Amino acid sequence: MEKENEWIMCHTEDVAEAEEHTCQQQRRRRPQCMVTEVEASQLKEDTKHSENDGWESDCENQADDKRRNKEKDDESVSSSSSDVPSLDTCTPTKSVESPSSPSPFYSHTTSSCPLYPPLPPPVELDVVLVDSRLTLDIYRGGTAMLETLWENFPGKVKEVQYLRIGSEESGSLETVLDILPHLKLLRSLAIRGHCLQDSLGHPLPGILSSLPPSLSSLTLLTHLDLSFNRFTSLPPCLLSLPCLSILILSHNHLSSLPSNWGCLSSLTYLSVMGNQLCSLPASLAQLGALLTLDVSHNFLESLPEEIGELRCLKKMELSHNRLRELPETLKTLVNLRELMANSNSLRCVPEFLTKLPHLKKLDVRNNPTGRCSTPPPALPDPAQAKAGPSELHLGPSQHRFSVTPAGHHVFLPRGVELLFPEGCVGHSTELEWAETRPDRKWVCLEEHDHLLSWPLELLPHGVIFQKPVQVCMPYRQKARREIVVRRFDGSSWSKLQTWKRRGSPSNCVRPGGRRARLACCTVNHFSWFVVVSCPVRDTCLVSPEGALLVSSVNPAIKLRFLPSSTSQTRTVTLQVLQVEVSVVRELSSDSTASASPLLCLSQSPSLPYLQPVTVQVPLPPGLTGHTVDMSCLYLLHRQPDCQTWTDVTAQTPLHVTQLYVVFSVSHFSWYWLWYTTQRCVSGVVRRVYQRLRQFRVQFLVLQRKNDPEQVLLQCLPYNKVENTVQYLSGLYDGPQPSDLCELLEGEQFFAGFEKGIDISTERPDCINGRLSFIFYSHLKNHKEVYICSSQKQQGPVKGQVSFYRGEMPSDVPQEVAQKRKGPDSQWLATLPLRLPVAGGISEPRIPPLQLGDPENGYLTEANLLAISLQISQDWRNIGINLGFSYEELDRIQYKHRDNLGALVLDILFHWARRRGDTGPGAVPELIDAMTKSGRQDLADEIEDIVSLGKRKYRDSLRRVGLDTEGLLAE
């Protein structure tokens, strides 16, 4: 026993380090101890007289051969796992070998208690029981496994010396506690939580809260780990274990420690970190052999004076408590080597700590040392402290969730966060969310606005919350622009008060684990929400006493309101748009042209001023007061409801200083200061202003390398094209990007397939045979479609894709609208597209099929191909809701393990072929499967396709005069 205690003292620090990484240790195989040949022969002789002595001699020889092979394997496992310190596997004591069981035992174990994750058949006993070590904490159902082993082979289980088991499952945990007192040889026992994980990957806590008194019969027990459970006090049976040297009770609910430690005088390691301790008892001095004491992450405000009697103590962990001072008796701990007291409330570090002879590490970081002695505000009692709202992480297919009066922090895909405070609802309420494609007919953008997110719809709209709910949506950083959240109430858009923050660490969706930037607002009811960037708005209240408004974008721009300039208080807004000199010179054909920032002035209410307002702007870049030619300096003005610019230089005197120009205005609108040698300056300014609203873009037409029928169409701002092409080059191939074109934010354009190539026109986004797009500069403007030959040709088809303008926003300048009239002026770009053979392949890859019937609506092959491109990772949920078994889905997944697109296609067309002869019920079944899988967007698209087919069918009947009943009904 003395030798064992010496060994335990030398390895106490390693055990402490092992505890800090407990979650990783439970998933590794433990290193196995070696047994000498003399001990092996003796143990082999002993096992002949055990309860299993009825085995045949030939079975014994086979078992011995298998055991020897297993020992060799265990040696290699032990060498590879030597970096994991563990007391329960390396104690130098004689171990009892368990010979391998015959095949009947394997089949019995497998059928009575299957292991998870499943082990390859046949399941062997020595996988979990090696020598005298039984490891069940890494398997789901481990407690039931121990019960099965005890019922069938109690003699083998009684010889176990090292046992590890999880406490997360309540099914057989009571039976396990009844079995433990019979394991008299047990030396190391771990019954702990956080060994298994839930479906989201979160560790499961243990449910153990008490131990039976009979456990005190384990007199040889030296190591006990009960961490991550629900103990509120130390079980009394532990105080009767005379050999116990290591006790781990971390992450429980302990509120106090015993006043008498009983027979635990040989304890060398004690960890109670992560509990609810407010004080330590004076009885701690009874643990005279203690080497390591860990009481971190508790609520300790002071330490008992008796702690100085732990003369053997080498390491003491006090971090993350509320300690305000350290007792002077710590100076008697002459063997102390490490003292961790960081993250407390210590005002000073005692001088005697520096005089401890063996102290090598002292950590007092995150303490208010050197500050005034004003006591901090009272902290809440740990018993009354309330945890924050529970977190709820939803996947792409989970569109419904429930909120209780306790509150929730809900994380949606793409980085959206919803924070429901406690008491926001009076009872459990079911809510929904959905992301829809932006439609320019109802997503209205103001001038110079950029859409940064898809519209987020939160349902139901009529629910009124008792407390405001926080809605946070991700966005991309925009320099020198304001980020706002806007809400649509069904008839109009309104701006919400917005602030910015970083996303939660548990919801990192950016590459490299970076937290997303969030635009946040508070709402009392649900609706539609979008994130928009706009020119920065600087506002101030102008009273009769006067005011000064300075731009936050360019502090050189100022508005000065003199006293008595207004008779009533009004709100003034200033917006500034920066202009690139290169654009000005390119469009004006003047190498010396330059322009100051563009000003937009507005007010509410809109009333005339009693005195002029003084405006200061910087001189155009490259000019100073000494070099400026006043004959080339122009001030231009534009009304908000007009697209033309007027030269007001003659009516508005300009006062030029060394760096600025000062002028006075009497009403608010757009103002722009220009320097140019051109005499007809209004037309030049008009062209430059049009360019400010336009984006220079390029078009991509790419074909998937392993399937030329699959075509990707994309429109990108020119500065993003190079990186995108490089990223897609591994999967796609195609011609070079198109020439530069110009599009407005929210402008519609079309892609038409020409010269022998066509796509299915049975699509909601296909208008007059052309695929419809809406351009948003900060969203992905791409679609992936399947193409085919429009003519029955045997050889390859050399076609093309042309892009055309569509309807434009109503506020487009007249000059721009005139240039875009007529079929030829609507053309943007044309790119070649080649189909290797007619139909893309020499033989039909998928047999022709049509689901449903024309009268009730049907889906074609092309419709299913278009739908398959949008399913992505939801294929398994959709397959299950379509009636596939798990075995069928696994077989399809293995067949297409390297091609997700082919996997989805196989599922859809396999189902379609099975349902092809069942009549009109197939299409509703597919819509219902999409809805149940959380893909309401696909369900709506299928309904649109079916409705389009019905309408065309009825129109054809009307033309021939057959649908008389339908006409009367309508």
Side-chain angles (χ1 to χ4, degrees):
M1 180 61 69
E2 293 179 357
K3 293 182 178 179
E4 291 179 359
N5 288 337
E6 291 178 0
W7 188 92
I8 292 172
M9 291 172 62
C10 296
H11 288 75
T12 302
E13 296 179 1
D14 292 339
V15 175
E17 294 178 4
E19 183 196 355
E20 296 176 359
H21 305 282
T22 49
C23 294
Q24 298 179 2
Q25 291 181 16
Q26 302 308 316
R27 292 166 178 79
R28 298 184 181 180
R29 291 287 304 272
R30 272 64 178 177
Q32 310 301 328
C33 295
M34 301 300 300
V35 182
T36 62
E37 295 181 359
V38 177
E39 290 175 335
S41 60
Q42 180 63 39
L43 296 176
K44 180 178 178 181
E45 185 69 21
D46 294 339
T47 54
K48 293 181 181 180
H49 303 285
S50 62
E51 297 181 23
N52 302 310
D53 54 0
W55 294 346
E56 298 294 336
S57 60
D58 56 341
C59 292
E60 288 183 3
N61 295 333
Q62 295 176 6
D64 290 341
D65 294 337
K66 181 179 294 186
R67 176 185 54 77
R68 295 188 185 97
N69 295 332
K70 185 62 181 180
E71 285 182 355
K72 296 179 180 179
D73 295 339
D74 290 340
E75 289 180 20
S76 61
V77 173
S78 176
S79 61
S80 63
S81 305
S82 59
D83 60 327
V84 185
S86 180
L87 174 65
D88 60 335
T89 58
C90 297
T91 303
T93 181
K94 186 172 87 171
S95 60
V96 180
E97 289 188 308
S98 298
S100 301
S101 306
S103 56
F105 171 76
Y106 303 154
S107 58
H108 171 76
T109 304
T110 306
S111 60
S112 62
C113 185
L115 298 179
Y116 183 85
L119 298 175
V123 178
E124 300 182 359
L125 174 62
D126 53 6
V127 171
V128 293
L129 180 57
V130 180
D131 295 335
S132 59
R133 297 161 186 81
L134 183 57
T135 304
L136 300 173
D137 57 344
I138 59 175
Y139 297 109
R140 199 174 292 273
T143 53
M145 184 66 180
L146 179 60
E147 182 180 358
T148 302
L149 293 176
W150 175 256
E151 291 175 355
N152 292 273
F153 300 97
K156 296 298 177 183
V157 177
K158 286 182 179 180
E159 297 172 354
V160 170
Q161 298 184 21
Y162 308 96
L163 174 62
R164 307 189 71 88
I165 195 166
S167 61
E168 301 92 345
E169 301 170 317
S170 59
S172 304
L173 194 57
E174 295 183 0
T175 305
V176 169
L177 296 179
D178 294 336
I179 296 174
L180 289 178
H182 300 281
L183 310 183
K184 303 297 184 180
L185 301 178
L186 203 60
R187 302 176 59 82
S188 175
L189 173 63
I191 314 177
R192 46 170 293 137
H194 278 213
C195 298
L196 304 177
Q197 298 178 346
D198 59 13
S199 58
L200 297 178
H202 300 154
L204 295 173
I207 62 173
L208 195 62
S209 59
S210 62
L211 295 176
S214 56
L215 212 64
S216 59
S217 61
L218 303 178
T219 56
L220 298 180
L221 195 65
T222 60
H223 173 270
L224 179 61
D225 185 355
L226 300 173
S227 54
F228 295 100
N229 279 292
R230 300 180 181 178
F231 289 99
T232 57
S233 60
L234 197 68
C237 62
L238 301 184
L239 304 178
S240 303
L241 302 176
C243 297
L244 191 64
S245 60
I246 296 178
L247 177 59
I248 304 175
L249 286 164
S250 58
H251 300 287
N252 277 274
H253 303 286
L254 299 177
S255 57
S256 62
L257 295 178
S259 57
N260 186 357
W261 291 88
C263 300
L264 298 183
S265 57
S266 60
L267 201 64
T268 60
Y269 181 91
L270 175 62
S271 174
V272 289
M273 68 173 296
N275 282 277
Q276 300 176 6
L277 299 174
C278 296
S279 62
L280 297 178
S283 60
L284 207 62
Q286 300 176 8
L287 306 177
L290 201 62
L291 300 176
T292 301
L293 175 63
D294 189 350
V295 292
S296 59
H297 292 272
N298 280 281
F299 302 94
L300 301 177
E301 296 183 355
S302 61
L303 298 177
E305 297 289 338
E306 290 77 7
I307 200 170
E309 300 181 20
L310 302 176
R311 305 296 174 83
C312 297
L313 201 62
K314 293 184 178 180
K315 182 178 180 180
M316 183 159 54
E317 179 68 72
L318 305 173
S319 59
H320 294 277
N321 278 285
R322 302 175 182 175
L323 298 174
R324 299 182 180 180
E325 60 179 2
L326 298 177
E328 192 174 355
T329 54
L330 291 183
K331 64 183 180 181
T332 61
L333 303 180
V334 293
N335 292 314
L336 193 64
R337 298 178 181 177
E338 296 185 23
L339 176 60
M340 316 298 290
N342 58 293
S343 302
N344 277 279
S345 301
L346 299 176
R347 296 288 173 178
C348 62
V349 180
E351 186 179 355
F352 61 79
L353 292 180
T354 62
K355 300 180 180 180
L356 293 176
H358 299 289
L359 189 63
K360 296 181 179 179
K361 186 175 182 179
L362 175 62
D363 189 353
V364 291
R365 295 173 298 168
N366 298 328
N367 279 284
T369 54
R371 302 180 189 175
C372 61
S373 58
T374 303
L379 295 173
D381 186 79
Q384 300 177 354
K386 295 182 179 180
S390 59
E391 294 186 357
L392 178 61
H393 295 260
L394 302 181
S397 60
Q398 297 174 292
H399 287 261
R400 295 186 179 183
F401 60 95
S402 296
V403 175
T404 64
H408 291 285
H409 194 172
V410 182
F411 298 93
L412 306 183
R414 299 180 187 265
V416 179
E417 298 184 16
L418 306 177
L419 184 57
F420 297 87
E422 182 180 1
C424 66
V425 293
H427 54 83
S428 180
T429 305
E430 184 171 334
L431 305 174
E432 298 181 37
W433 70 274
E435 276 189 335
T436 59
R437 290 186 177 273
D439 189 342
R440 62 192 180 90
K441 294 182 179 180
W442 66 277
V443 178
C444 299
L445 299 177
E446 299 179 2
E447 212 167 15
H448 304 288
D449 284 354
H450 300 160
L451 186 64
L452 301 184
S453 72
W454 283 31
L456 172 66
E457 183 180 10
L458 300 176
L459 300 167
H461 295 172
V463 174
I464 303 297
F465 298 105
Q466 301 175 11
K467 291 183 179 180
V469 176
Q470 190 177 127
V471 179
C472 299
M473 302 176 64
Y475 69 93
R476 294 286 184 176
Q477 178 68 24
K478 289 294 295 178
R480 297 184 179 181
R481 293 182 68 89
E482 182 179 1
I483 308 298
V484 297
V485 178
R486 290 181 181 165
R487 177 177 60 191
F488 183 67
D489 58 5
S491 59
S492 61
W493 288 90
S494 59
K495 174 185 174 182
L496 301 177
Q497 185 177 359
T498 308
W499 70 94
K500 296 178 288 186
R501 68 172 178 88
R502 285 286 186 174
S504 301
S506 58
N507 195 38
C508 294
V509 296
R510 300 286 298 278
R514 293 177 297 164
R515 294 183 292 171
R517 294 182 175 91
L518 299 180
C520 303
C521 64
T522 56
V523 296
N524 290 319
H525 64 277
F526 277 174
S527 186
W528 289 270
F529 303 89
V530 295
V531 181
V532 175
S533 72
C534 59
V536 176
R537 298 171 183 263
D538 296 307
T539 61
C540 74
L541 292 176
V542 179
S543 64
E545 289 76 17
L548 175 66
L549 177 57
V550 181
S551 170
S552 60
V553 176
N554 189 340
I557 301 175
K558 301 178 182 179
L559 301 182
R560 186 179 300 276
F561 301 87
L562 299 175
S564 303
S565 60
T566 179
S567 60
Q568 64 182 41
T569 302
R570 66 184 75 186
T571 303
V572 175
T573 302
L574 167 64
Q575 291 179 282
V576 177
L577 289 178
Q578 301 287 351
V579 185
E580 295 182 5
V581 178
S582 58
V583 176
V584 172
R585 294 178 177 175
E586 175 188 352
L587 297 180
S588 64
S589 301
D590 183 0
S591 59
T592 63
S594 184
S596 297
L598 176 62
L599 306 185
C600 177
L601 309 179
S602 60
Q603 60 179 351
S604 177
S606 182
L607 298 173
Y609 284 93
L610 302 178
Q611 294 188 34
V613 178
T614 303
V615 181
Q616 174 187 294
V617 297
L619 279 168
L623 298 177
T624 65
H626 296 295
T627 61
V628 64
D629 184 356
M630 294 298 296
S631 63
C632 299
L633 199 61
Y634 298 90
L635 180 65
L636 294 109
H637 163 264
R638 182 180 76 88
Q639 294 290 352
D641 54 350
C642 181
Q643 299 296 334
T644 60
W645 288 85
T646 306
D647 182 5
V648 296
T649 309
Q651 296 82 17
T652 307
L654 303 178
H655 303 279
V656 180
T657 66
Q658 180 66 17
L659 299 175
Y660 308 107
V661 174
V662 181
F663 57 91
S664 299
V665 298
S666 57
H667 65 282
F668 279 2
S669 184
W670 292 82
Y671 291 93
W672 206 351
L673 185 66
W674 267 67
Y675 184 85
T676 178
T677 57
Q678 298 282 349
R679 294 307 174 190
C680 186
V681 67
S682 298
V684 176
V685 173
R686 227 175 10 249
R687 289 196 299 269
V688 176
Y689 181 73
Q690 294 167 11
R691 174 64 65 83
L692 291 180
R693 298 189 54 194
Q694 295 174 337
F695 290 88
R696 308 184 76 178
V697 301
Q698 290 179 279
F699 298 96
L700 299 179
V701 177
L702 303 174
Q703 292 176 274
R704 192 173 277 272
K705 293 181 178 180
N706 57 2
D707 187 3
E709 289 183 342
Q710 189 174 344
V711 178
L712 173 68
L713 308 175
Q714 189 165 6
C715 175
L716 288 168
Y718 74 96
N719 58 342
K720 300 181 180 179
V721 171
E722 184 177 355
N723 291 337
T724 303
V725 171
Q726 184 178 1
Y727 174 75
L728 297 174
S729 61
L731 297 176
Y732 295 87
D733 194 10
Q736 292 295 320
S738 69
D739 294 334
L740 290 175
C741 304
E742 295 176 354
L743 287 175
L744 297 169
E745 183 83 2
E747 184 174 359
Q748 188 178 31
F749 66 94
F750 296 91
F753 292 83
E754 302 166 347
K755 294 187 176 180
I757 294 180
D758 196 5
I759 61 171
S760 172
T761 58
E762 304 297 331
R763 292 173 56 104
D765 57 353
C766 198
I767 303 175
N768 297 327
R770 295 178 177 178
L771 201 60
S772 173
F773 292 81
I774 299 178
F775 173 75
Y776 291 104
S777 57
H778 292 79
L779 300 182
K780 291 184 177 180
N781 308 285
H782 69 86
K783 291 184 180 180
E784 209 162 0
V785 297
Y786 277 89
I787 62 173
C788 60
S789 174
S790 59
Q791 303 174 359
K792 301 300 182 180
Q793 301 182 20
Q794 298 299 326
V797 180
K798 296 181 179 180
Q800 65 183 25
V801 180
S802 295
F803 295 89
Y804 301 90
R805 300 186 189 275
E807 298 181 8
M808 293 175 293
S810 58
D811 58 345
V812 171
Q814 184 178 2
E815 293 82 357
V816 177
Q818 290 176 350
K819 292 181 179 180
R820 298 185 182 181
K821 288 184 178 179
D824 294 337
S825 62
Q826 292 179 351
W827 173 82
L828 290 169
T830 296
L831 293 173
L833 185 62
R834 184 177 183 273
L835 200 58
V837 293
I841 47 178
S842 57
E843 297 181 359
R845 178 178 51 188
I846 300 167
L849 58 87
Q850 286 187 351
L851 295 176
D853 59 84
E855 186 174 358
N856 296 285
Y858 60 85
L859 295 176
T860 65
E861 306 168 20
N863 298 140
L864 290 180
L865 287 170
I867 294 169
S868 68
L869 295 174
Q870 306 177 55
I871 289 179
S872 186
Q873 299 297 332
D874 296 324
W875 61 270
R876 185 174 289 275
N877 290 337
I878 294 174
I880 292 174
N881 289 318
L882 286 176
F884 286 88
S885 64
Y886 288 98
E887 292 78 7
E888 290 176 312
L889 292 176
D890 290 341
R891 184 170 60 252
I892 295 175
Q893 183 184 17
Y894 180 79
K895 179 181 178 182
H896 305 286
R897 54 189 176 274
D898 297 326
N899 191 338
L900 179 61
L903 184 151
V904 175
L905 278 177
D906 200 353
I907 292 176
L908 281 181
F909 281 90
H910 187 73
W911 169 81
R913 285 191 291 271
R914 291 191 307 188
R915 298 285 291 143
D917 300 329
T918 59
V923 175
E925 180 180 332
L926 182 59
I927 295 176
D928 184 61
M930 295 296 178
T931 303
K932 290 181 179 179
S933 304
R935 293 304 302 268
Q936 188 62 41
D937 57 332
L938 292 181
D940 295 341
E941 182 172 337
I942 296 172
E943 290 180 349
D944 292 341
I945 294 173
V946 171
S947 300
L948 183 62
K950 289 181 182 178
R951 186 170 65 252
K952 289 187 175 182
Y953 176 72
R954 291 173 182 172
D955 290 343
S956 64
L957 292 180
R958 289 191 186 97
R959 285 194 296 269
V960 297
L962 297 178
D963 191 21
T964 55
E965 296 182 0
L967 290 173
L968 292 175
E970 292 184 2

